[in-house]
Amino acid sequence: MYEGDGVEKTGNEKLDYEILRWINNRMIELIDLYIDLGDGSGWDEDYLMCCFPRSFLEDNFALCKRIILDIKDILASDIIYANMRLLYKYVLFGIVTYEMEIINNAIDDGYENVLPPIDVELVKEIYKAKEYEYNSKLTREMIEDENHPIHFIDFLQSEEYFYEVIFDDTELDTDYCDRIVLSCIEKIENKEWQPYDITEVLELASRPIKEQYYKVAKKSNNLNLPDELFIVQEIDNIIKLLCNRITDIRKLTENEISNYIEYMLKRLLVLNRDIQIEREALLGFSNVKIGEADMVLYRNNDRGYNNIAVIENKMYNTQFKEIKQLLGYMNIHVKLGITITINKKKRLIDVIEALRNYIESEKNNLHIIQVDKKKEYLLHTTMKNQQDDTTVNCYHFVLSLNDEEHERWAKEIRNM
């Protein structure tokens, strides 16, 4: 099942699941109507154009019906998907819009709505969850009561529910996707780090923009990136890889996770950048003696010795001690700092919000002149070095190893 971007909750987990199942069945009915009409009309390009981007359709005509069937399989599944491939969202939105227009026109012409109303038993459950006594007859008091279940039930059955809840805040037009790709092209040409994977966005982009991107990307090479962007990009990749093995990684201690990260970076940086990594490196300050940074990245060759970056990892703590520890290890010769907050218990969104609030509260103390969010698990700060008035870039990653909901769903489906 697809949960969408903003599906409302009643507070009753079982009821929420039943409502979501009903909503997904409703979308399946619209897909079936679209498939039946396509089987009758021969699935020509004009028919598919209502739900596929032109450039994708021209290049992948043979895949289109298979994609529609894949979307139907997702909606029919007992596993809840909080997200969906952007192309699939685009296609689903297109089908819903196309079929709802046909249904509305038919109703205007006096025909009966082919979409059945919500099941009476489900209606009764909604009444019960909202602590109202079920009444099948509509009264003025029910209409005037803003909290009455009939308003929620009517909204569930409305066309607006699809657009305001299921596809809430989803940008699916090609102009929007073109702007994202053009921004990425500009970053590549300026040798800036592009923090987002735009593979899915490219599927929706117009052909001229898509071809322009491939032309620029072909000339681009990671080795042409500045050290800072290359290092941040590779740590970002490591964060993603570690999240693929949450069950194993969350059993590890802070020190063991740091060893894991060093192991994944070590050979990569030596071969591509001639950069060395030292674990528990003596550097900077601590309470009473010289500090020990989790990782120091440096280059030491016939052209001399240069500090490149300092990395500090810590289990989630409300004071985010890793940030000040990081700064205690840095000096005027280190222009890049990286913290990794290891989260095993809280929601990612809560940790990022707490991290941002902490940084904002320490802005003056830490001489932070800019804070921006690069990804849902990554903040970037620019700090002013008080010794020489230069700036230092720091990247604050959250390695989130808490995914209880997906784990619960996986166990539920295996126990069915």
Side-chain angles (χ1 to χ4, degrees):
M1 290 186 289
Y2 175 53
E3 190 172 27
D5 297 320
V7 173
E8 298 177 32
K9 306 289 185 181
T10 65
N12 182 318
E13 190 173 326
K14 183 175 181 295
L15 177 58
D16 288 339
Y17 184 89
E18 290 175 358
I19 291 172
L20 188 61
R21 175 75 281 160
W22 180 81
I23 293 166
N24 277 260
N25 286 343
R26 200 166 176 83
M27 290 190 286
I28 288 172
E29 290 181 67
L30 294 173
I31 289 177
D32 285 339
L33 289 172
Y34 186 80
I35 290 173
D36 288 345
L37 194 55
D39 288 341
S41 64
W43 293 100
D44 58 27
E45 282 194 10
D46 288 339
Y47 182 64
L48 288 166
M49 192 66 73
C50 75
C51 60
F52 281 91
R54 177 180 294 276
S55 63
F56 183 89
L57 178 59
E58 290 171 349
D59 295 338
N60 303 278
F61 178 80
L63 294 176
C64 291
K65 188 175 180 182
R66 178 66 261 171
I67 287 171
I68 294 171
L69 294 175
D70 285 345
I71 295 169
K72 184 178 175 180
D73 287 342
I74 291 171
L75 301 181
S77 171
D78 290 327
I79 298 173
I80 298 173
Y81 294 87
N83 212 333
M84 191 188 293
R85 181 175 160 188
L86 190 58
L87 174 67
Y88 284 22
K89 279 187 184 182
Y90 184 99
V91 174
L92 180 57
F93 182 81
I95 290 174
V96 167
T97 304
Y98 181 83
E99 289 299 331
M100 288 307 300
E101 183 178 357
I102 293 175
I103 290 171
N104 290 334
N105 288 339
I107 293 172
D108 290 342
D109 291 338
Y111 292 94
E112 186 178 343
N113 189 345
V114 295
L115 291 176
I118 191 167
D119 183 73
V120 174
E121 293 304 314
L122 186 53
V123 168
K124 290 179 180 179
E125 288 297 320
I126 295 171
Y127 267 77
K128 184 178 178 181
K130 292 184 175 290
E131 299 180 345
Y132 277 77
E133 185 177 346
Y134 174 68
N135 184 357
S136 60
K137 294 181 179 179
L138 186 64
T139 66
R140 178 179 294 276
E141 288 77 12
M142 294 163 67
I143 296 172
E144 292 176 350
D145 181 357
E146 293 181 357
N147 297 316
H148 198 281
I150 60 163
H151 302 299
F152 176 67
I153 292 164
D154 285 345
F155 184 47
L156 279 177
Q157 300 178 94
S158 69
E159 183 178 356
E160 286 72 25
Y161 190 84
F162 289 121
Y163 308 136
E164 294 181 19
V165 178
I166 299 296
F167 301 103
D168 182 41
D169 294 331
T170 300
E171 298 288 353
L172 294 171
D173 62 75
T174 54
D175 288 341
Y176 173 78
C177 293
D178 281 354
R179 290 196 296 272
I180 293 177
V181 177
L182 285 171
S183 174
C184 181
I185 290 171
E186 184 179 355
K187 287 182 181 296
I188 292 173
E189 290 177 335
N190 293 335
K191 297 184 179 178
E192 298 176 25
W193 180 48
Q194 168 58 35
Y196 303 105
D197 180 356
I198 65 164
T199 304
E200 292 189 14
V201 177
L202 279 170
E203 290 184 320
L204 270 60
S206 63
R207 185 174 301 284
I209 300 298
K210 194 183 296 187
E211 290 177 352
Q212 185 181 346
Y213 170 80
Y214 287 130
K215 185 177 179 180
V216 172
K218 189 174 181 181
K219 295 178 181 177
S220 173
N221 189 311
N222 278 342
L223 299 182
N224 294 329
L225 287 174
D227 285 341
E228 175 183 318
L229 300 184
F230 182 82
I231 291 165
V232 172
Q233 176 179 277
E234 294 311 316
I235 290 177
D236 180 54
N237 290 330
I238 287 172
I239 295 292
K240 294 174 190 172
L241 290 168
L242 293 178
C243 287
N244 286 344
R245 299 185 60 192
I246 283 180
T247 303
D248 295 331
I249 302 300
R250 70 182 173 195
K251 296 174 184 176
L252 303 180
T253 65
E254 176 187 304
N255 194 53
E256 289 170 334
I257 290 174
S258 294
N259 289 339
Y260 218 105
I261 293 170
E262 180 213 11
Y263 171 76
M264 296 174 81
L265 271 177
K266 196 164 190 137
R267 184 168 170 79
L268 175 74
L269 292 179
V270 169
L271 289 179
N272 290 292
R273 294 291 166 136
D274 189 28
I275 292 176
Q276 306 284 338
I277 301 181
E278 184 177 348
R279 280 277 285 124
E280 304 296 344
L282 297 176
L283 187 72
F285 303 90
S286 66
N287 281 342
V288 295
K289 60 178 182 178
I290 192 168
E292 288 186 359
D294 278 342
M295 280 174 261
V296 173
L297 278 56
Y298 64 93
R299 189 178 282 117
N300 190 11
N301 52 33
D302 56 5
R303 292 185 294 278
Y305 175 90
N306 286 292
N307 283 320
I308 306 296
V310 177
I311 303 174
E312 187 65 23
N313 309 326
K314 270 277 183 294
M315 289 294 181
Y316 170 72
N317 61 93
T318 55
Q319 295 177 314
F320 294 97
K321 296 177 181 178
E322 57 272 26
I323 294 179
K324 286 185 179 177
Q325 279 188 272
L326 173 78
L327 298 179
Y329 300 143
M330 297 176 73
N331 56 49
I332 60 171
H333 303 293
V334 183
K335 299 300 182 185
L336 172 62
I338 294 169
T339 65
I340 301 175
T341 301
I342 304 164
N343 167 49
K344 291 187 177 183
K345 295 181 179 179
K346 291 186 169 289
R347 295 192 311 160
L348 171 61
I349 190 172
D350 295 331
V351 176
I352 279 289
E353 183 179 359
L355 174 58
R356 179 143 204 165
N357 289 341
Y358 171 80
I359 290 172
E360 293 287 352
S361 70
E362 291 283 346
K363 238 180 171 182
N364 293 332
N365 183 34
L366 302 180
H367 309 293
I368 296 171
I369 57 179
Q370 183 181 344
V371 183
D372 55 291
K373 188 176 181 179
K374 293 292 187 182
K375 291 193 172 190
E376 63 271 19
Y377 53 87
L378 171 61
L379 297 181
H380 164 254
T381 57
T382 304
M383 303 180 183
K384 190 172 183 179
N385 191 321
Q386 296 303 293
Q387 294 189 57
D388 59 3
D389 283 342
T390 57
T391 57
V392 177
N393 283 323
C394 291
Y395 295 83
H396 310 284
F397 288 90
V398 175
L399 171 58
S400 194
L401 303 175
N402 173 35
D403 203 355
E404 293 178 354
E405 196 167 44
H406 285 95
E407 182 179 8
R408 175 173 60 81
W409 292 335
K411 288 178 179 178
E412 283 179 2
I413 195 65
R414 283 165 176 78
N415 292 330
M416 290 179 72

